[in-house]
Structures are given as structure tokens and as C-alpha cells.
Amino acid sequence: MSVSAASHLSPSYPDRAAWGTAPKLRAWQQEAYDLYVQREPRDFLTVATPGAGKTTYALRIASELLSRGVVRALTIVTPTEHLKRQWADAAARVGIGIDPEFKNSQGATSRDYTGVAVTYAQIAMHPALHRARTEARKTLVIFDEIHHAGDAKSWGDGVREAFEPATRRLALTGTPFRSDESPIPFVTYVEDGEGALRSVADYSYGYGPALGDGVVRPVIFLAYSGEMKWRTRAGDEIAATLGTPLTKDQLSQAWRAALDPKGDWIRQVIHAADRRLTEVRRGVPDAGGLVIASDHESARAYARHIRTVTGEGAEVVLSDDPGASKKIKDFATSERRWLVAVRMVSEGVDIPRLCVGVYATSTSTPLFFAQAVGRFVRARKRGETASVFLPSVPVLMGLAGEMETERDHVLGRRRDEDGLDDMLLEQAQQEKKQPDALGDELPFQTLEASATFDRVLFDGGEFGTAAAPGSPEEEDFIGLPGLLEPDQVASLLRKRQADQQAAMRKTRKGEEQAPALAPHEQLAELRKELNGLVGAWNHRTGQPHGVIHAELRRACGGPAIAQATAEQVRERIAMIRKWATQRR
């Protein structure tokens, strides 16, 4: 292994560097590499946002250590089987032979290889074997997405036992936070002054800096609400509007109805996403889309919807398909429009041409959401944008609005901190062949599910007004150019927001001359709209509904909502929308 081979690493694989990056290493990669070489540490944790190029950086370090004789062997530990092959392919490009098919039963691999790629589960099954391999040769261990070493006690114990003797350990993650308090092996924790232990990275490169450097794409979130109707196990029929304040049970069932392949909501959203993909492909000809489904049955149904909408079949990737890795690899190098998968491509899988996504799963852990969105942010050239379609559900709206928030893994924190304890990632990543059951209910029956364009979320702001699918108002945002700088995205969103508000004022003026609704009906609709916005602001800020209403009264004047006139309610609606676009 020569140093020159490593020095010519492309900033991203497969040979698709982001616009403006250095011909060898991106600035952050070079900075992190220099810090590593300066310190010569045994353990080093690098936190870099998904899509930043952690693989390139890690292999540059591996090449250096191998060329200097600091280590003689390399072990790469990944969360999934597919990522083993992806790492082996990347390593081969720089002359490092990695065996991705190594089995515990083999004991040893061919002399043609410098090392092996294994999974965390594989290590947990036979840690003594991997400890013996680590002790036999001076070894560098690269932990891909190190937070997975805390997924189960057996995994963490196995990783510690197997790699405690390693000469060097390089830990990588794009999302260091976890939903539980399982300690991550070989990660340093320090007191945070509040009685908790917080993980400490040796080098961090977050989404915000990466976006500023042009290393990742800006993400536009397009949220869809809609009317849902379903039948309970008792035979009762319930209707609710997704995107308005609902009880926990109502929200869960309305969300499920939206994702039901038999309803119109998912069909309409897929159709909108495909229209968005067509627009993006004007500037990015090979741009692809990904639908992340909850279960196998839904994934196949979504693929049928895509064929109906586009006339072209979608690639369906399921974990129990022995050809899944090949399908992903083939899709990555093709120009096909759509890929449908069940969770397995939410983390680490490198398909740089993915620009449009549909978040069609009920999984809501912050970690899973960040990893899923990470599939769309891998920039290849200046101006590429990512678009993610999702249900207008408070937890998802909150996560979308916090894209630039960075978290560390905390042990002993208050259980309500950051809302990270909703589900374990291990449960979130499990694939399912059938839809989730709601407690002990009889089979869930969706009666109606229709979509309504709700709003766009970008850079902490909210834009747009409720609109029917296919309407000019929706098209204002679906039709955004696919090649835009982040500041251009924000500027264009603000302009389209202003244009829509001006059109609404003009329409209202006409309605006042010839009202289509009786006064009490008009006032009821306005109050409903305001209450929905207050509910969204409550989720975003944590302020109680009553406090938000009081603040609106102070800002706009007028009596309580029950006595307010239609014009006064409209003023409050405009004010809270202004907060959403201007406040951080």
C-alpha cells in the first residue's frame, strides 16, 4: 500500500466529488486527518453529517497507517451486510483488499486481503474469535456508525471484548445521539454539569457547516395534511384532519390511515413527489427518488402506485431478498426514477443521485429520521437540492425543523430531554412484512384518506398555505428549480409565500363583496385554521396554546378568540405565519 494511492482519494464515492471540493480531500477531511496525525491517538471519534464523506476520510487514515507500518491489518465493522460490500468496494479503489464475505466459521481469510468487513451482530456472536484475530496482527478497527455498538448489551460487550487489544480504533458516526442510555464502547464521556455524562467527539462536522461549504444539499421538506376516516374495532367510524391538534391515539391512527396503500393520501403524495422529481431532473438528469416504507406489503403496493403514476416500474428492495445489495448498487449507477425500500437504506447506503424522498413510515425516532434524510443530502455539484415529502405530523415537523441541531449521546439525562426516548433505533430498523397492529384491535380499516398540501419547511422557516393537490398554489413549491443555492431557495420560498398571501388577500376582498360562506361558517373556518397553526407553534416552541393566543392578542390587538371578528382572526393568522418564517 502506497501513500500516493491514498492521496488520490476522491472526496466521495463513486468518484463524484461535490462541487468546489479539493481534488484530494475536502477541507473538513483534511482538517480531521491532520488532527489525527498530529495526535496519533489510540481512539478517535469523528462525527460528520451524513453525506460528508466519512468513508474517504477513514480510508485515507487507514492507508497512512498501513503504509507506515503502524498497523498491518484492517477490520471494518458496519451495521448491515450491504455496507460491508460498500466499504470493500471503496477500499478496493485505493488498493486495500477487504473481504466482505468473511464468516465467523472461517476463522481466517485469504492472504489476498489486508482485512475484513464484518457486522456488529457478527462480532457479538463470536467476540473471542475476533479478539484472537485482533491480537494476531497490529490492527486498525474502523467502526462505521459506532452508535450501533450500543444497540444491545451483547453487542457492546462483544465489541469491547473483540477490539480491546486493537492497536488503533477509529470510530465514525453521522448521528451520535441514541434513544437510550446504552454506553457506546471506546467513546469518551464527560460530566456536563447537570448530573449526566455526555459523549465527546475528537472532531465534529455538522450539517450546518457542511451546507455552508457546499458539501451537502439543502433539504426542502414538503408536508402534507389531509382528511382521514377509519373504522375502529368497535365498528365506530372516526374522522380527523392530519396536521391539526389530535390526541395521541387519534394521531397514530390518522397517520396510519395516511400511509395505507388503499387510501388516496399516499397516491396523491407519490404523484406530487414524482412531479417534483421531473422538475429536479431538468437540472439533475439522473436524479432518483426513494420511498421509505414501513413494511414489505406496503412497499410492494407503493411500487404499484408508482407504475400507475409514471408508467415505469420502481425497484423494490427488501432485506430478505438475497439480491438486495446488487439491486441497490445497480440502481445507484442507473438513471431509473424510483426505488422503494423498507428501512434498510435509511443509513449508510451511498446513492448520491437520490434527490427526492417520500417518508412513508411511522418510525419517528430522531436517529432514524436523521439517517433517512441523510440519504438525500449527498451533494455532487453546486446547487443541487433535496426534497423530502412527509406527513404533517408534529413529531416529524419538529425533527424537520431541527435539521441543523447537533446532539451528543448523553448518559443519565432527564428522560424528557430532547424527546429521544420514543423508540430504540434497533426496533425502528427492524423490517416488517405486515403493517403494524394497533394494540389488540381488529384489523385496521381505512375508509378515506385524502391529501392536502400543507406547507414547506426550510432553514427553520415555514412557507406556503393549504392547497389541493395539483393546484397552482401547490405547484408554486413543487416546481421550484432543482438547482439552487441555499440562499436562493430561501429567497424564492419567501417570494412565493408573499405572492400567495397577496393572492389570498385579493380573494378575500372579492369574498367580502360576494361572500360564498355565511358569516358564521367563514368565522368557523378561520378559527379552525388559526387553531391548527397554534397547535403547530406549540409543538415547535413548547408554549401552551393559551400563551400563544395571548401573545397573538398582544401583537394584533382585539378580544379573545371567541369574540374576535373574522378580520381580527385573519390578522392573527398572518402574524403567526410571519413568526414561522422569521423566528429561529
Side-chain angles (χ1 to χ4, degrees):
M1 163 54 63
S2 67
V3 176
S4 61
S7 67
H8 287 83
L9 280 164
S10 166
S12 61
Y13 288 101
D15 296 324
R16 291 173 174 175
W19 181 93
T21 57
K24 296 179 182 179
L25 290 178
R26 292 170 174 161
W28 84 262
Q29 293 167 330
Q30 188 66 55
E31 186 176 58
Y33 169 79
D34 291 343
L35 183 62
Y36 183 91
V37 172
Q38 175 187 339
R39 291 185 181 178
E40 293 285 345
R42 186 181 183 194
D43 287 294
F44 196 87
L45 171 61
T46 300
V47 177
T49 190
K54 292 185 290 296
T55 301
T56 296
Y57 154 76
L59 290 175
R60 178 67 180 89
I61 289 176
S63 299
E64 173 70 13
L65 297 180
L66 287 166
S67 68
R68 288 167 43 201
V70 176
V71 299
R72 299 293 183 186
L74 177 61
T75 297
I76 301 169
V77 190
T78 75
T80 67
E81 291 289 328
H82 176 79
L83 290 178
K84 288 165 46 177
R85 300 178 184 91
Q86 187 168 289
W87 271 92
D89 290 345
R93 288 187 172 90
V94 295
I96 303 176
I98 296 295
D99 180 5
E101 306 298 336
F102 177 79
K103 303 291 190 297
N104 287 349
S105 57
Q106 293 176 224
T109 188
S110 167
R111 292 182 181 178
D112 292 337
Y113 296 113
T114 303
V116 300
V118 294
T119 64
Y120 288 100
Q122 196 173 340
I123 298 300
M125 290 172 63
H126 202 333
L129 165 68
H130 296 279
R131 184 183 182 94
R133 294 189 68 259
T134 304
E135 290 175 330
R137 302 172 70 187
K138 292 190 294 183
T139 301
L140 164 66
V141 183
I142 296 176
F143 297 107
D144 185 20
E145 305 298 351
I146 182 65
H147 53 267
H148 281 286
D151 277 356
K153 187 176 187 299
S154 61
W155 285 26
D157 291 345
V159 165
R160 285 190 186 88
E161 179 180 348
F163 301 117
E164 188 279 328
T167 302
R168 294 285 181 91
R169 292 180 290 254
L170 176 62
L172 310 172
T173 181
T175 45
F177 53 87
R178 291 184 52 81
S179 302
D180 57 10
E181 296 185 5
S182 298
I184 303 171
F186 310 122
V187 168
T188 300
Y189 292 86
V190 299
E191 290 277 357
D192 68 355
E194 298 181 2
L197 296 175
R198 188 175 294 273
S199 64
V200 177
D202 296 285
Y203 185 89
S204 294
Y205 186 63
Y207 175 78
L211 184 62
D213 292 344
V215 170
V216 295
R217 300 170 180 147
V219 182
I220 303 168
F221 292 97
L222 298 101
Y224 280 73
S225 57
E227 300 298 322
M228 310 297 152
K229 189 175 182 180
W230 63 92
R231 181 175 290 120
T232 68
R233 65 172 180 172
D236 297 329
E237 294 184 2
I238 298 178
T241 301
L242 198 66
T244 61
L246 300 172
T247 67
K248 184 176 180 180
D249 287 344
Q250 287 175 331
L251 176 60
S252 174
Q253 295 175 35
W255 189 351
R256 181 175 174 183
L259 301 182
D260 190 333
K262 295 188 291 295
D264 286 336
W265 188 94
I266 190 65
R267 291 190 186 94
Q268 292 167 331
V269 170
I270 286 175
H271 192 191
D274 188 69
R275 300 202 319 273
R276 177 65 185 148
L277 181 58
T278 296
E279 183 60 45
V280 171
R281 284 169 78 105
R282 298 183 195 279
V284 187
D286 68 338
L290 166 66
V291 179
I292 300 178
S294 290
D295 56 80
H296 291 194
E297 181 181 320
S298 295
R300 295 188 181 97
Y302 296 161
R304 291 193 292 270
H305 291 333
I306 290 172
R307 177 176 287 278
T308 300
V309 168
T310 68
E312 177 185 325
E315 188 69 76
V316 180
V317 177
L318 307 174
S319 62
D320 57 4
D321 180 354
S325 289
K326 185 177 186 305
K327 286 183 177 180
I328 293 174
K329 190 172 182 179
D330 290 346
F331 182 84
T333 56
S334 74
E335 293 190 2
R336 296 187 63 183
R337 292 176 72 89
W338 284 101
L339 174 71
V340 182
V342 183
R343 298 174 178 169
M344 69 175 294
V345 294
S346 67
E347 179 180 42
V349 173
D350 190 12
I351 308 177
R353 69 186 191 90
L354 287 179
C355 293
V356 177
V358 178
Y359 195 86
T361 172
S362 56
T363 304
S364 60
T365 62
L367 184 50
F368 182 89
F369 184 86
Q371 291 165 351
V373 173
R375 298 317 96 214
F376 306 98
V377 301
R378 298 170 185 266
R380 297 176 298 173
K381 64 179 180 180
R382 191 183 187 103
E384 290 183 342
T385 60
S387 304
V388 178
F389 290 70
L390 39 72
S392 191
V393 174
V395 64
L396 298 184
M397 297 297 96
L399 294 173
E402 296 168 359
M403 264 294 290
E404 296 179 25
T405 299
E406 297 178 32
R407 296 187 181 97
D408 298 315
H409 183 219
V410 182
L411 303 181
R413 62 163 176 259
R414 297 183 301 276
R415 295 308 302 166
D416 61 347
E417 181 177 335
D418 291 334
L420 297 180
D421 57 351
D422 50 344
M423 291 173 65
L424 294 178
L425 180 68
E426 181 183 8
Q427 296 170 334
Q429 291 283 29
Q430 292 173 354
E431 290 203 24
K432 299 179 181 180
K433 298 185 179 181
Q434 300 296 329
D436 295 336
L438 291 174
D440 58 354
E441 294 182 4
L442 295 175
F444 182 89
Q445 184 177 5
T446 300
L447 301 178
E448 296 177 17
S450 62
T452 301
F453 173 75
D454 186 6
R455 59 193 131 151
V456 167
L457 290 84
F458 179 76
D459 193 28
E462 298 182 2
F463 307 86
T465 55
S471 66
E473 292 79 11
E474 181 200 42
E475 200 60 38
D476 278 346
F477 297 101
I478 294 291
L480 288 170
L483 286 174
L484 289 172
E485 290 293 308
D487 58 341
Q488 292 175 321
V489 174
S491 176
L492 193 52
L493 285 171
R494 284 193 293 269
K495 181 180 184 304
R496 298 201 170 175
Q497 170 92 339
D499 289 345
Q500 287 192 0
Q501 289 175 340
M504 288 176 65
R505 286 193 293 271
K506 185 176 180 181
T507 300
R508 288 187 190 123
K509 186 176 180 181
E511 288 175 349
E512 288 169 0
Q513 295 172 356
L517 296 175
H520 70 278
E521 293 174 321
Q522 188 180 62
L523 192 54
E525 287 296 316
L526 288 170
R527 287 173 178 168
K528 180 179 178 181
E529 182 180 357
L530 178 60
N531 286 332
L533 292 169
V534 167
W537 192 251
N538 157 260
H539 175 77
R540 179 170 168 182
T541 65
Q543 290 180 293
H545 288 231
V547 172
I548 299 169
H549 279 292
E551 189 174 347
L552 285 169
R553 284 184 64 189
R554 283 194 296 272
C556 301
I561 186 70
Q563 290 81 42
T565 66
E567 187 55 39
Q568 288 169 331
V569 177
R570 289 193 190 100
E571 289 176 3
R572 295 177 195 183
I573 289 172
M575 179 60 68
I576 197 169
R577 288 192 178 280
K578 183 178 179 181
W579 292 350
T581 58
Q582 293 183 351
R583 293 190 183 183
R584 288 294 181 268

